[in-house]
Amino acid sequence: MLQVEEALQAILEDIRALPPESVHLADSLGRTLAEDYFAQTDLPPFDNSSMDGYAVVAAECATASAKSPVSAVVIGESAAGSATTIQPSAFTAIRIFTGAPIPPGYTAVIPQENVTVATDRSAIVIQTQVSEGAYIRRKASDVAAGTLIAPKGAVITPFLLLALAAHGNAMIQVTRKPAVAIIATGSELVEPGQPLQFGQIYNSNAYMLAAMAQSAGAEATILPIAQDNEEDILRRLEEAQRYDLIISSGGVSVGDHDLIKSAIEKMGQLKLWRVNMKPGKPVAFGKIGATPIIGLPGNPVSSAVTCLLFAAPAIHKMLGCSEASQEIFSAHITETIAQSDRRSYIRCALTHIDGEAHVTPLGLQDSHRTMSIAFMDVLAIIPEGSGVFPTGTLVQVIRAR
Ligand code: AMP
Ligand code: MG
């Protein structure tokens, strides 16, 4: 049986990044950049004032003090968006506002609170030393034209979006979202909203898996439920082949009605089946034509865990995303946890106590217990073995939401 890392590697080997598409800046949040972006201009594009005040010639006020004040005549104004072109003459100042260009010839700004202004505003009196360049934001001091501002593979956050906009990019090249087909298999399944007969249950997995795929950056489509018969399953898989990735749930175990594996073998190629983990052991992966298919077990908890561990990283790779697909960190367990012969992923809630992460298992961990994941924050990784991890043990956890 494969270890989790081996299985993930085998899956990712068969996953390719998708081509780019162009989206408007306003629609780009959360998308992955498909090319490098460089600064198109210097930022700031011109020397400008960082304060509301007066532009002066620093050399004229270098020795200003309360005992020997310097006066300057205010001969013009530079406001953001409307610069002055007046040339300086001796002992003059320009009224200036934050972000406005420094008028040619002036070499410093004095904040307005540091000067005395004549009642008619025609002159100012300076009583403190002014140094060259004071309160001037220099051209290119933020970023020089040609600098890499956003690398290919980066996910667009509100802050990266700011940088892209600051360089005038309206349309952004991002990786196309993977189109993911979600297929729930099971003759007992009924869609939410319909009445239930005895022996039936609602198809809950498909909605969770679609949401997880969307959170990972994909566009998910839930296909109609496939009954546990070969014809129905083959028809669904046939239909799903035009998607970039197929995620199925159920039918991958060893029961007589578990037909996904044989269907993959019939239509394409089964690359792996069964991973040394708990829950989620019977997970399968293969290809139908060029389309990868991840067959997740039907138990909702197993479905959630295997989707997080295998499907989400696959979507990430399709997006060409350069950031780690999983956030892994250390946390203390608040209960004793016994090891098992398989690597366990314990569903936990996360709290912070005195700045340290603590994780608490969410009740009984059987893989059919939907309430063990309803409020899940993380999966705690408990390595295989026969020992016991006492309360307080530091373990690795994977963020689940
Ligand atoms: P299977 O992997 O098909 O043997 O299913 C294992 C368990 O998960 C069974 O109890 C199924 O009824 C349940 N199950 C399978 N698919 C779903 C689904 N889409 N939604 C909720 N439960 C499911
Ligand atoms: Mg089933």
Side-chain angles (χ1 to χ4, degrees):
M1 209 175 346
L2 292 177
Q3 300 303 320
V4 172
E5 292 71 21
E6 294 168 329
L8 181 59
Q9 197 188 334
I11 292 171
L12 295 183
E13 270 168 13
D14 277 3
I15 302 287
R16 302 277 163 268
L18 295 177
E21 66 180 7
S22 188
V23 297
H24 190 266
L25 201 58
D27 302 315
S28 69
L29 181 65
R31 303 295 297 269
T32 304
L33 286 179
E35 59 181 49
D36 289 335
Y37 279 79
F38 296 91
Q40 291 176 10
T41 52
D42 289 334
L43 268 191
F46 45 83
D47 289 358
N48 68 90
S49 178
S50 68
M51 297 293 273
D52 294 326
Y54 295 86
V56 295
V57 177
E60 294 172 355
C61 335
T63 58
S65 67
K67 280 197 184 137
S68 63
V70 172
S71 296
V73 180
V74 179
I75 58 166
E77 182 178 293
S78 178
S82 62
T84 175
T85 52
I86 298 172
Q87 290 297 312
S89 48
F91 294 99
T92 60
I94 302 283
R95 179 75 169 123
I96 196 164
F97 300 96
T98 305
I102 303 296
Y106 290 87
T107 58
V109 170
I110 313 177
Q112 61 193 42
E113 49 273 37
N114 294 355
V115 298
T116 311
V117 184
T119 341
D120 64 0
R121 300 182 167 225
S122 64
I124 55 171
V125 179
I126 301 148
Q127 297 185 322
T128 49
Q129 276 187 7
V130 177
S131 53
E132 189 90 22
Y135 301 103
I136 293 177
R137 301 162 174 161
R138 291 292 177 200
K139 174 176 156 77
S141 59
D142 177 2
V143 56
T147 307
L148 180 68
I149 54 163
K152 177 178 176 174
V155 174
I156 302 177
T157 63
F159 318 112
L160 192 55
L161 209 152
L162 171 92
L164 293 167
H167 289 276
N169 301 289
M171 300 305 290
I172 310 293
Q173 290 293 108
V174 297
T175 312
R176 179 166 71 69
K177 285 187 177 198
V180 176
I182 309 286
I183 304 175
T185 70
S187 299
E188 75 282 29
L189 300 177
V190 174
E191 290 296 354
Q194 303 299 313
L196 273 191
Q197 308 296 328
F198 178 75
Q200 297 181 323
I201 60 166
Y202 286 120
N203 169 22
S204 51
N205 285 352
Y207 297 90
M208 170 183 70
L209 295 173
M212 290 178 77
Q214 281 163 9
S215 301
E219 201 83 72
T221 305
I222 298 174
L223 300 190
I225 293 165
Q227 304 296 308
D228 288 321
N229 64 66
E230 192 177 53
E231 196 194 343
D232 215 34
I233 288 178
L234 292 179
R235 184 170 47 215
R236 280 301 159 253
L237 293 183
E238 177 80 46
E239 189 185 338
Q241 252 193 85
R242 61 188 174 87
Y243 289 80
D244 298 309
L245 172 68
I246 306 168
I247 300 176
S248 67
S249 107
V252 278
S253 203
V254 291
D256 293 348
H257 302 285
D258 291 334
L259 302 169
I260 281 287
K261 244 175 53 205
S262 57
I264 297 174
E265 279 165 339
K266 195 159 202 165
M267 291 184 68
Q269 169 209 348
L270 183 74
K271 191 172 180 194
L272 69 89
W273 177 58
R274 301 221 291 185
V275 178
N276 189 24
M277 61 185 293
K278 189 181 173 179
K281 183 168 91 171
V283 66
F285 175 75
K287 274 181 140 185
I288 295 176
T291 311
I293 171 164
I294 305 182
L296 308 179
N299 271 311
V301 174
S302 313
S303 247
V305 171
T306 48
C307 183
L308 207 62
L309 293 183
F310 302 116
I315 290 169
H316 228 75
K317 185 164 179 197
M318 287 183 158
L319 288 166
C321 187
S322 60
E323 292 168 20
S325 63
Q326 285 163 342
E327 188 190 341
I328 299 181
F329 55 99
S330 304
H332 299 279
I333 49 176
T334 63
E335 288 172 16
T336 297
I337 300 177
Q339 287 178 284
S340 129
D341 54 345
R342 285 181 271 148
R343 164 105 51 96
S344 307
Y345 292 88
I346 309 290
R347 287 70 74 192
C348 294
L350 170 69
T351 50
H352 284 91
I353 304 170
D354 296 334
E356 291 209 32
H358 293 257
V359 292
T360 303
L362 289 159
L364 293 174
Q365 298 276 318
D366 313 55
S367 57
H368 69 288
R369 298 181 74 106
T370 54
M371 293 315 289
S372 76
I373 55 169
F375 295 98
M376 166 169 73
D377 298 311
V378 299
L379 290 173
I381 308 170
I382 306 296
E384 49 276 48
S386 52
V388 158
F389 280 33
T391 302
T393 306
L394 207 53
V395 300
Q396 297 282 92
V397 304
I398 301 175
R399 191 175 290 283
R401 64 160 172 167

